[in-house]
Amino acid sequence: MKKKQFWIFLMLFCLVFLMGCSGKTDLNINPVTLTVRTSFGEGDGHYDTYQNLIRSFEENHNVLVADISEISSEEWKGTVLSLFNSQEEPDVLFFFTGQDAKSLVDDHHVVDLDTIRTVYPSYGNNINTSVLNTMKADDGKNYALPVSGYWEGLFINQDLFTQYNIPVPEDWDSFLDTITAFEQNGIVTIAVSLGKVHHYWFEFLIYNHSGP
């Protein structure tokens, strides 16, 4: 099977693919089928919205979507990467960037943003440049566009801070002081998940110091 040009992020790249197929072909006779893999599987918070978008997309463009989506896990990531190694990659993939996508970039399975813009100059122009700069691969190119934003916060137990008369940290140095102060009082400062989906704390504090 020929390697297909594939776009990491789902809905935006679907549109590009279909714009390239928007000739006079009678899709009623020979409809296009897109194989799609995402992490918006059943149980994900975006599952219902995603399914509605698929149905709407099929109706508006007379395209069949063969959706194989599962909630993200390390096993799911491995399955996706193995599909590319066996030349069974999906037409459209919603996936991670960075280290997770390194093999896809290195093996030339993906198309960079500048190449796409030679055909569709305005593609991705609604994404802030500062955001794109945080998503660049090792070669300095963008191979993905974001489809949604999110934020995270660190929750604290205010009662413990009051009980041990420890000030709430406001920067990294005071955060380290807080950890030391709680440890001296026998308090476990940070708990991490070692289950199916590792918490970012584990990734940042352990994985980043252990090599690939």
Side-chain angles (χ1 to χ4, degrees):
M1 184 178 72
K2 292 182 179 179
K3 289 184 178 180
K4 303 169 185 174
Q5 291 186 338
F6 120 97
W7 297 271
I8 295 179
F9 285 102
L10 180 62
M11 293 306 169
L12 295 175
F13 283 79
C14 276
L15 294 176
V16 169
F17 182 90
L18 289 175
M19 287 175 68
C21 300
S22 60
K24 298 299 183 179
T25 303
D26 189 346
L27 296 179
N28 290 311
I29 298 175
N30 187 24
V32 172
T33 298
L34 291 176
T35 302
V36 178
R37 279 185 177 270
T38 79
S39 57
F40 300 131
E42 188 170 2
D44 180 87
H46 299 291
Y47 177 77
D48 291 338
T49 300
Y50 173 60
Q51 291 299 316
N52 291 334
L53 285 171
I54 288 179
R55 302 290 84 81
S56 175
F57 186 79
E58 288 180 320
E59 293 174 3
N60 292 337
H61 300 280
N62 196 23
V63 171
L64 300 178
V65 175
D67 176 51
I68 310 172
S69 295
E70 302 174 38
I71 293 181
S72 172
S73 67
E74 296 303 313
E75 181 181 1
W76 176 78
K77 291 180 185 178
T79 298
V80 170
L81 295 176
S82 67
L83 290 173
F84 284 87
N85 293 330
S86 60
Q87 296 186 334
E88 297 178 1
E89 68 271 18
D91 298 305
V92 182
L93 175 66
F94 179 91
F95 200 59
F96 295 85
T97 56
Q99 187 65 34
D100 291 309
K102 181 173 173 56
S103 63
L104 302 181
V105 174
D106 291 346
D107 294 337
H108 308 290
H109 288 302
V110 290
V111 180
D112 66 271
L113 180 59
D114 288 339
T115 298
I116 295 174
R117 283 176 171 170
T118 62
V119 181
Y120 305 102
S122 62
Y123 184 70
N125 282 352
N126 60 324
I127 307 299
N128 193 291
T129 301
S130 63
V131 174
L132 292 178
N133 288 339
T134 67
M135 301 172 60
K136 288 184 176 180
D138 290 342
D139 61 4
K141 297 180 180 180
N142 283 102
Y143 293 90
L145 294 179
V147 298
S148 61
Y150 66 95
W151 57 273
E152 297 181 42
L154 181 65
F155 288 86
I156 65 172
N157 187 330
Q158 184 65 58
D159 291 341
L160 285 178
F161 281 89
T162 301
Q163 179 181 345
Y164 292 99
N165 194 30
I166 298 174
V168 175
E170 297 181 354
D171 54 34
W172 182 253
D173 289 336
S174 60
F175 176 64
L176 296 180
D177 292 339
T178 297
I179 292 176
T180 300
F182 276 124
E183 286 180 342
Q184 291 173 346
N185 287 280
I187 302 297
V188 176
T189 311
I190 300 173
V192 300
S193 169
L194 304 181
K196 191 172 183 179
V197 179
H198 297 164
H199 193 279
Y200 289 139
W201 274 104
F202 190 82
E203 294 183 0
F204 293 151
L205 301 182
I206 305 298
Y207 285 162
N208 283 4
H209 295 280
S210 61

